Amino acid sequence: MGAPDFAKLPHIGESLRRKEDYRFLVGAGQYTDDINLNNQLHAVFVRSPHAHAKLLGVDTAAAKAMPGVQAIFTGADIEGKMNGLPCGWLITSTDGTPMKEPPHPVLAQGKVRYVGDHVAIVIADTIEQAKNASEKVVVNYEVLPAISDVRDASSGKTTVHDIAADNHCYKWAIGDKGAVDAAMASAYHVTKLDLYNNRLIPNAMEPRAAIGGYNRATDEYTLYVSNQNPHVERLLMTAFVLGLPEHKVRVIAPDVGGGFGSKIYLYAEDVALTWAAKQLNRNIKWVCERTESFLSDAHGRDHVSHAELAMDKDGKFLALKVHTDANMGAYLSTFATAVPTILYATLLAGQYSTPQVYCEVDAWFTNTTPVDAYRGAGRPEATYLLERIVSRAAWEMGLSQDEIRKRNFITTFPYQTPVALQYDVGDYHACMNKAQALADVAGFEARKAASAAKGLKRGIGYSSYIEACGIAPSNIAGALGARAGLFECGEIRVHPTGSVTVFTGSHSHGQGHETSFAQVVAARLGISPDMVDVVHGDTGRVPFGMGTYGSRSISVGGAAIMKALDKIEAKAKKIAAHLLEASDADIDFANGEFTVRGTDKKVPFGSVALTAYVPHNYPLDKLEPGLNETAFYDPTNFTFPAGTYICEVEVDPQTGTVKVDKFTAVDDFGTIINPMIVEGQVHGGLVQGIGQALLENCVYDRETGQLLTGSFMDYAMPRADDMPEFKLDTVCTPCTHNPLGTKGCGEAGAIGSPPAVINALLDALHDMGVKDFDMPASPHRVWEAIQAAKA
């Protein structure tokens, strides 16, 4: 079934209430911390208070004598018994050498390299006893100089890893540098921009948690963990770290309270608990406290970039040149190396027909928490840079922000960008036009005058983003350094009564899969979504899948389910043909009924399902009993959601306070399964993106490497009263290469919104002389910029 036909089916495009919400609303959700197992111990990790230090000794004697303590393990105890944490993406430098990939020990060995680095695990009967004992662990440190700012990484102040004496991890590039330089030399005008994409701390509502267990009778391990992709967690832990047979390890990710990328990775805590469970033959539970989350959850963003955009006299783009310094943190997290390369530079063409793009990326080690994918993962960094420089170019060329974009939009598809990607479909002018109408751009000048009458400055900002979702295909990704496949799996199990259970490798942690996937299956089989259950998050129950990240679930996981449904339909037609005494080539299936073409003979889906399991008078020599099918789907290309966002802000020049007064978002997500769920995803993304633009900022002391924003007292999170009422709409150009026509929607809001906010701020302050500004636009920072411009 093709995407156009699929979009017309019942239940597709319906805003059904989320099936999973009831258990959450009545407090019946089961998160990892809700699980308590028999014979369970509790763990606390001793963490480094220093950003960089030699580990001269760890004295655990006094701690081991504390009441209730069962064991304490340090780096010395695990050395030689397991490998370090792996990085899942190999980047090759421009000189052909592989990236520097230092060991990432589960517990520190020889040195600690960031505040929060794991020194020891203390295991006791109760959490209080484990905490008390952890305070008795005596660690002898020799403090070393630290670097936290990526701009200092090459200063020679210190060396984070011996394998990278200059702290340089890799240099990577894409595009034709010679062609870009030639275009720059002959351009009518070149706009230049330096910017910083501020570091963020994910802060999912549910902190990370894990319970490691071991069964001595079967030599089997079980890990309950708050994670986005349990099969990948198991694969990395068994194959790369612990060297265990994969079938002996079961990973269960129950309800997960948000992830935003930070729960994709294999963390040291997960490995330590699993290993220690066998040493003690006990279940061991650890729940991350919020301060630990600030220190140890993988952070996001942290790019310092310089960009140059060449144009002709009419404002048509000729070339874009970018250099980015990316902060990797102290170690290479699971997918960290792909974020500032494959997921970033390949998106720098944006929605524009720029003939030439060249990007060079230098990645550096620092004494900070490892950085990895955070909602959008490279796409927000690319969009922020591109959309900032496009608006800057408009102002320098005397054009409006919308006009310069319209002059450069891609209009024919498929379109091959100069940075590897090929866009299959889109309509960027339609998104822009609908956004301008919805935002009432025509009335902006009147609103600006009204703000001025109150002593406020009003500005308008545009952002026309594109993102690449559902990283694919596996063979191309593998050639680019991926150390895992990027497919997804779906299993459809039809029961004798006609109800269905779906087993999917995708994992839901707030996206509404239990509803959206049920709508897909119900639409195909002509049954009620209430007859469909969705199972995910348990390697012991679901087939191997790659989990949820990169807005891939419906386009990749949903497509796998569609392929399995194709097999279900094909077999069911054979059963129906037997019941209707016809050839299966003459059987049609629609609206839950099998019919013989050209006759009034029909049989409902439920009867076919029952016949599959009660095969009386059934051609067993030709058909197996049962109706259960599995399919894998590996995409042939990314999907490319796109849209235009328009933001209006009011700025109080006396205080620097910025208020987002209006925000309009028009997105093209292709076929939409459940509009209500999609709207919720966009709302959440917008809040996170606006939060980065106005409030959130992870700050380390530049000299000591101490985290200065280590709690909600110092790290400002967006609140409801920081947000306007969002105006949302969509355009639909269905994806051409998956059977649903879907594109992915989970990250779009966080990608498109930050540049829209900052462009609006700069538009508001343009006549006050403020020409540039880096996020976040907190009142003090904005006030300082105004005062500096006055001076």
Side-chain angles (χ1 to χ4, degrees), residues 32-54:
T32 301
D33 191 28
D34 293 321
I35 299 169
N36 288 292
L37 305 177
N38 291 332
N39 209 25
Q40 178 177 282
L41 301 173
H42 296 265
V44 167
F45 285 86
V46 177
R47 299 182 183 273
S48 170
H50 304 291
H52 197 199
K54 289 183 179 179

Side-chain angles (χ1 to χ4, degrees), residues 167-229:
N167 298 317
H168 193 236
C169 181
Y170 60 78
K171 178 185 286 291
W172 181 90
I174 191 170
D176 187 334
K177 184 177 185 295
V180 168
D181 288 342
M184 293 282 172
S186 61
Y188 174 80
H189 180 77
V190 177
T191 293
K192 299 180 180 181
L193 180 64
D194 292 294
L195 50 80
Y196 172 59
N197 202 301
N198 45 322
R199 179 184 279 237
L200 302 176
I201 299 174
N203 284 310
M205 187 177 293
E206 177 210 20
R208 289 189 295 120
I211 307 172
Y214 176 71
N215 185 325
R216 185 169 290 170
T218 61
D219 192 31
E220 291 177 338
Y221 301 77
T222 301
L223 176 68
Y224 292 87
V225 62
S226 182
N227 184 269
Q228 296 176 217
N229 45 2

Side-chain angles (χ1 to χ4, degrees), residues 314-510:
D314 297 317
K316 287 283 289 180
F317 302 159
L318 303 176
L320 175 69
K321 186 176 183 179
V322 175
H323 179 269
T324 293
D325 288 304
N327 194 339
M328 295 285 99
Y331 299 100
L332 296 181
S333 182
T334 307
F335 294 113
T337 52
V339 175
T341 52
I342 307 302
L343 300 179
Y344 164 69
T346 57
L347 271 298
L348 287 171
Q351 297 186 12
Y352 310 113
S353 57
T354 311
Q356 298 292 339
V357 177
Y358 176 76
C359 179
E360 191 173 273
V361 177
D362 284 293
W364 304 90
F365 294 109
T366 64
N367 296 114
T368 61
T369 299
V371 175
D372 211 316
Y374 172 69
R375 198 169 192 169
R379 283 75 55 86
E381 294 92 321
T383 299
Y384 183 69
L385 181 148
L386 184 59
E387 292 305 293
R388 282 286 314 280
I389 200 169
V390 167
S391 285
R392 165 75 76 87
W395 294 322
E396 291 182 358
M397 293 289 288
L399 297 171
S400 63
Q401 294 181 71
D402 60 322
E403 180 58 31
I404 197 169
R405 287 172 168 82
K406 291 175 181 177
R407 291 187 186 187
N408 289 281
F409 278 156
I410 298 162
T411 57
T412 58
F413 296 89
Y415 178 81
Q416 178 63 53
T417 74
V419 278
L421 300 182
Q422 185 180 80
Y423 305 159
D424 61 327
V425 70
D427 191 340
Y428 308 145
H429 280 282
C431 288
M432 171 66 79
N433 294 338
K434 184 171 279 193
Q436 288 187 299
L438 191 61
D440 184 26
V441 171
F444 172 71
E445 291 301 329
R447 293 190 293 275
K448 184 175 182 178
S451 296
K454 298 183 292 183
L456 303 176
K457 297 288 186 179
R458 179 177 285 264
I460 188 168
Y462 283 74
S463 171
S464 294
Y465 79 93
I466 190 168
E467 60 166 322
C469 300
I471 307 172
S474 291
N475 58 345
I476 299 299
L480 295 173
R483 289 166 165 168
L486 297 166
F487 55 84
E488 197 47 83
C489 182
E491 178 186 347
I492 304 296
R493 188 176 300 173
V494 179
H495 303 295
T497 57
S499 61
V500 177
T501 300
V502 178
F503 298 87
T504 175
S506 298
H507 185 275
S508 181
H509 42 279

Side-chain angles (χ1 to χ4, degrees), residues 463-687:
S463 171
S464 294
Y465 79 93
I466 190 168
E467 60 166 322
C469 300
I471 307 172
S474 291
N475 58 345
I476 299 299
L480 295 173
R483 289 166 165 168
L486 297 166
F487 55 84
E488 197 47 83
C489 182
E491 178 186 347
I492 304 296
R493 188 176 300 173
V494 179
H495 303 295
T497 57
S499 61
V500 177
T501 300
V502 178
F503 298 87
T504 175
S506 298
H507 185 275
S508 181
H509 42 279
Q511 294 89 345
H513 294 173
E514 293 173 39
T515 304
S516 298
F517 286 168
Q519 286 179 252
V520 169
V521 173
R524 278 294 303 272
L525 299 182
I527 60 179
S528 166
D530 292 333
M531 295 181 68
V532 183
D533 282 337
V534 177
V535 177
H536 61 89
D538 184 346
T539 64
R541 297 187 66 190
V542 303
F544 191 99
M546 300 307 295
T548 295
Y549 51 86
S551 300
R552 72 190 299 269
S553 293
I554 194 65
S555 298
V556 186
I561 289 169
M562 285 285 279
K563 289 189 69 176
L565 287 166
D566 289 341
K567 295 181 180 181
I568 291 288
E569 183 176 323
K571 182 174 181 181
K573 282 183 175 180
K574 295 180 185 296
I575 299 171
H578 169 71
L579 293 175
L580 296 170
E581 299 180 332
S583 167
D584 59 286
D586 295 328
I587 300 295
D588 292 327
F589 179 57
N591 301 317
E593 291 184 331
F594 296 88
T595 58
V596 180
R597 197 174 304 119
T599 75
D600 61 356
K601 297 175 67 175
K602 60 185 180 181
V603 62
F605 176 76
S607 295
V608 170
L610 182 61
T611 301
Y613 290 95
V614 186
H616 299 163
N617 189 28
Y618 189 93
L620 292 172
D621 57 327
K622 298 178 181 177
L623 280 174
E624 293 180 354
L627 201 51
N628 183 7
E629 298 288 352
T630 300
F632 288 81
Y633 176 73
D634 198 322
T636 58
N637 194 4
F638 291 87
T639 67
F640 297 100
T644 287
Y645 292 177
I646 301 175
C647 176
E648 288 186 32
V649 301
E650 278 189 329
V651 184
D652 185 341
Q654 301 302 315
T655 65
T657 301
V658 181
K659 174 188 175 185
V660 177
D661 189 56
K662 290 168 64 70
F663 202 102
T664 301
V666 174
D667 299 284
D668 178 0
F669 297 136
T671 303
I672 291 177
I673 308 300
N674 187 310
M676 179 185 68
I677 288 177
V678 167
E679 186 173 313
Q681 289 287 298
V682 175
H683 274 217
L686 292 177
V687 170

Side-chain angles (χ1 to χ4, degrees), residues 285-307:
K285 182 176 186 176
W286 167 78
V287 178
C288 191
E289 295 189 346
R290 186 59 67 178
T291 298
E292 279 187 292
S293 293
F294 275 90
L295 293 172
S296 64
D297 288 4
H299 292 175
R301 316 291 192 248
D302 205 346
H303 285 189
V304 175
S305 298
H306 174 76

Side-chain angles (χ1 to χ4, degrees), residues 43-162:
V44 167
F45 285 86
V46 177
R47 299 182 183 273
S48 170
H50 304 291
H52 197 199
K54 289 183 179 179
L55 199 57
L56 302 181
V58 183
D59 185 350
T60 61
K64 286 179 177 178
M66 294 286 286
V69 173
Q70 297 294 327
I72 299 175
F73 299 110
T74 68
D77 297 310
I78 66 169
E79 190 170 6
K81 298 174 183 176
M82 65 180 72
N83 297 317
L85 303 180
C87 178
W89 204 293
L90 172 66
I91 295 296
T92 301
S93 287
T94 52
D95 63 2
T97 60
M99 65 188 189
K100 303 295 194 306
E101 192 171 1
H104 185 176
V106 171
L107 296 174
Q109 297 171 13
K111 282 173 72 173
V112 290
R113 293 178 170 87
Y114 66 99
V115 175
D117 205 352
H118 312 74
V119 175
I121 178 174
V122 178
I123 302 166
D125 293 335
T126 69
I127 186 63
E128 292 80 9
Q129 290 171 333
K131 285 182 177 180
N132 291 338
S134 70
E135 295 176 0
K136 295 294 185 180
V137 175
V138 179
V139 185
N140 187 9
Y141 297 100
E142 180 185 325
V143 178
L144 301 171
I147 49 171
S148 61
D149 193 305
V150 71
R151 291 166 291 193
D152 299 332
S154 61
S155 65
K157 178 181 177 183
T158 194
T159 296
V160 181
H161 296 281
D162 293 341

